[in-house]
Amino acid sequence: MKQTKKRKNSKKSENNKKRLIVGIVIFLLLVICLSVILKIIYHKEDLNTQEVEHNEQKVNILKDELVLEVGSELPIVSEYYDNFQDDENKEVKYYLNDKEVTLDELKHLKDVNEYKVIIDGTDETKLRVVDTTKPEVKLQELTITEGDKYDIKSFVLEYKDNSNIDEYVISYKDSEDSSLNKEGTYDIELTICDQYDNCIDEATKLIINKTGSSTNTNKDNNSNSSNKDSSNKNNSNTTSSNNTTNNNTTNKTTSKTPSTTTKKYVKDVTEKVVTKKETKYGTTITHYVNVTYKTYSDGSKVEKSRTKESLEINYKNFNGKFADMKKEAQNIYSSLNKTRTTILNETNKYRKEKNVSDLVLDKDLSMIATIKAIEMAYSNVFAHERPDGRIWYSLHDEYGYKNYYTIAENIAYNYTTDLDACRQWRESSGHYANMINNSMTKIGIGKYTLNGKTYYVQEFAG
């Protein structure tokens, strides 16, 4: 009995051990299954977030227009797109005034024009050929005799322009230089502009020798003086009436002074006058006004009117440094308080409609957003990708912003008000998804205006 009991007890103990092992195995399986399920859920959410983050980083984003300098080579297909990742061998057709232009005619873009561009029969954009290059001018000194007239174009020895147009507009910086007639050496400053208002200032000299002076270095003038002298002697040897003729000649020479010269109005001429030139982040900004003058037959001119100051910007040498742009962002930070408040409130209003918690304004993200806006403005590159080709969130890395799980970015430009920009984001599914994403908890807001064009940026983090 005891043995039998012992055997029964032993069997019971064995069964308990088996149950315990099975229980542990089941528990472990449950833990593993639960962890797999959680991982799938988080992975799906992460994929959704990434989809929102990168919804605007689409490939082959067609530019509104492509601007090239006259004389440039015909662009390749990829130059018409941002983030181009496709076949370069697309069919491209060009139209001028709705008439197709052959590729041979366009080979070196020799004319300033605006062309309609059709790529692959579907994508339509513009190619604008401009001339922003100053002409090359070489001046010469001019030597005349006291009382002689001179033409302003006589100072120009050589003129060359990249548009291959020989016509140009030339004017005196000082209108009095057009009517000098007394002996002496004068510094002459001239402004020479091509047909597209690219102007250059150059200086030369006007040398006026005294009538009959032995110091005249022009051989032809000396020989003419000798002829005049001999002619005068012959005249004086004929009759006394010729003396009267000589006196009249003397009076005519005296009448060439500015005080008695009769001048007639010719026409109005409009000239581009540069008032200031500066370089910022490698981008050249030229301030200018268009001045209209009344011009007269003696070469003089009088200002009639002038326009408000305008800007001409050359972006091709943009080389903005992060430290410099960050410094400017710091300097203008407080001036954007109203913009940040307006856009933050509007964005949180959209989130409330979806029962999503409010975003909190983050200063570091706002600094990043402002730097992004500055960078787009001075490079004239409206894209998530940075002007040097780096990915958009490399700006966060430069700033040292690393405390996030997920980030996203919205950009916009050329809207009249802060609310307009925000409402347009709402009309775009990708932008709107970023604004109401419940994974995002913080927001940064930036804005920058250059030459009438305003750039807006939202940076999100969670």
Side-chain angles (χ1 to χ4, degrees), residues 77 81 86-87 89-93 118-123:
V77 173
Y81 296 86
D86 209 335
D87 184 8
N89 297 319
K90 288 178 177 286
E91 183 185 38
V92 183
K93 291 186 177 182
I118 306 293
I119 303 171
D120 247 13
T122 55
D123 289 350

Side-chain angles (χ1 to χ4, degrees), residues 3-39:
Q3 287 181 352
T4 304
K5 193 174 182 180
K6 275 186 179 181
R7 280 198 298 269
K8 284 182 179 180
N9 287 339
S10 175
K11 191 173 182 181
K12 188 176 180 181
S13 177
E14 247 179 68
N15 289 336
N16 287 338
K17 285 180 182 179
K18 286 179 181 178
R19 289 192 192 97
L20 180 61
I21 291 169
V22 170
I24 291 171
V25 170
I26 292 171
F27 175 76
L28 290 174
L29 288 172
L30 287 172
V31 170
I32 291 169
C33 290
L34 183 61
S35 64
V36 169
I37 291 168
L38 289 173
K39 191 172 182 179

Side-chain angles (χ1 to χ4, degrees), residues 404-421:
Y404 63 87
Y405 174 73
T406 182
I407 53 175
E409 178 180 86
N410 283 345
I411 58 176
Y413 81 100
N414 255 13
Y415 291 104
T416 308
T417 68
D418 301 337
L419 276 178
D420 284 341

Side-chain angles (χ1 to χ4, degrees), residues 36-153:
V36 169
I37 291 168
L38 289 173
K39 191 172 182 179
I40 290 171
I41 292 170
Y42 283 119
H43 182 63
K44 185 176 180 181
E45 184 179 343
D46 189 44
L47 287 175
N48 290 336
T49 302
Q50 287 180 25
E51 185 179 349
V52 171
E53 290 171 11
H54 299 289
N55 64 77
E56 292 182 59
Q57 292 192 342
K58 298 175 182 176
V59 297
N60 303 347
I61 302 172
L62 187 67
K63 296 177 181 177
D64 292 333
E65 67 174 9
L66 180 63
V67 181
L68 293 177
E69 190 75 11
V70 66
S72 301
E73 293 291 331
L74 196 65
I76 59 177
V77 173
S78 59
E79 293 181 66
Y80 288 106
Y81 296 86
D82 287 322
N83 200 18
F84 185 78
Q85 296 179 21
D86 209 335
D87 184 8
E88 284 282 1
N89 297 319
K90 288 178 177 286
E91 183 185 38
V92 183
K93 291 186 177 182
Y94 295 87
Y95 297 86
L96 181 62
N97 299 325
D98 293 326
K99 183 180 178 182
E100 187 173 355
V101 183
T102 66
L103 296 182
D104 287 338
E105 292 176 289
L106 284 169
K107 191 171 183 181
H108 290 291
L109 300 180
K110 58 184 179 181
D111 297 317
V112 173
N113 271 313
E114 185 174 292
Y115 300 92
K116 180 169 75 172
V117 183
I118 306 293
I119 303 171
D120 247 13
T122 55
D123 289 350
E124 180 177 331
T125 183
K126 288 186 295 186
L127 170 62
R128 192 153 57 90
V129 183
V130 299
D131 181 3
T132 61
T133 304
K134 293 180 180 180
E136 297 177 16
V137 181
K138 185 176 181 180
L139 301 183
Q140 63 180 350
E141 293 181 0
L142 194 60
T143 301
I144 63 171
T145 302
E146 195 175 36
D148 286 349
K149 288 185 177 180
Y150 50 94
D151 181 60
I152 190 171
K153 289 194 174 182

Side-chain angles (χ1 to χ4, degrees), residues 303-426:
E303 184 176 327
K304 180 181 178 182
S305 62
R306 63 174 57 204
T307 61
K308 290 182 179 180
E309 190 173 78
S310 300
L311 299 184
E312 185 177 84
I313 304 178
N314 187 336
Y315 303 94
K316 65 182 179 182
N317 294 320
F318 173 77
N319 61 0
K321 301 293 185 294
F322 174 81
D324 297 332
M325 294 187 290
K326 181 180 178 182
K327 185 175 180 180
E328 182 172 8
Q330 289 170 332
N331 291 338
I332 66 173
Y333 188 83
S334 60
S335 67
L336 298 176
N337 286 342
K338 186 176 179 181
T339 291
R340 285 191 293 269
T341 300
T342 299
I343 293 178
L344 174 66
N345 290 342
E346 189 71 6
T347 303
N348 281 334
K349 174 182 164 186
Y350 304 156
R351 292 172 71 88
K352 282 184 175 71
E353 292 170 354
K354 295 294 181 180
N355 295 319
V356 180
S357 59
D358 285 355
L359 293 169
V360 176
L361 187 67
D362 185 274
K363 183 172 182 179
D364 290 330
L365 283 176
S366 292
M367 282 288 294
I368 292 169
T370 305
I371 295 168
K372 172 74 174 184
I374 293 171
E375 189 173 64
M376 288 193 294
Y378 282 94
S379 66
N380 198 32
V381 175
F382 176 69
H384 291 286
E385 184 181 88
R386 299 180 67 187
D388 59 5
R390 286 182 292 168
I391 199 162
W392 63 274
Y393 50 78
S394 65
L395 194 56
H396 296 68
D397 298 336
E398 277 192 272
Y399 191 87
Y401 189 85
K402 298 177 181 179
N403 187 24
Y404 63 87
Y405 174 73
T406 182
I407 53 175
E409 178 180 86
N410 283 345
I411 58 176
Y413 81 100
N414 255 13
Y415 291 104
T416 308
T417 68
D418 301 337
L419 276 178
D420 284 341
C422 208
R423 287 165 181 168
Q424 287 301 318
W425 277 326
R426 182 177 185 172

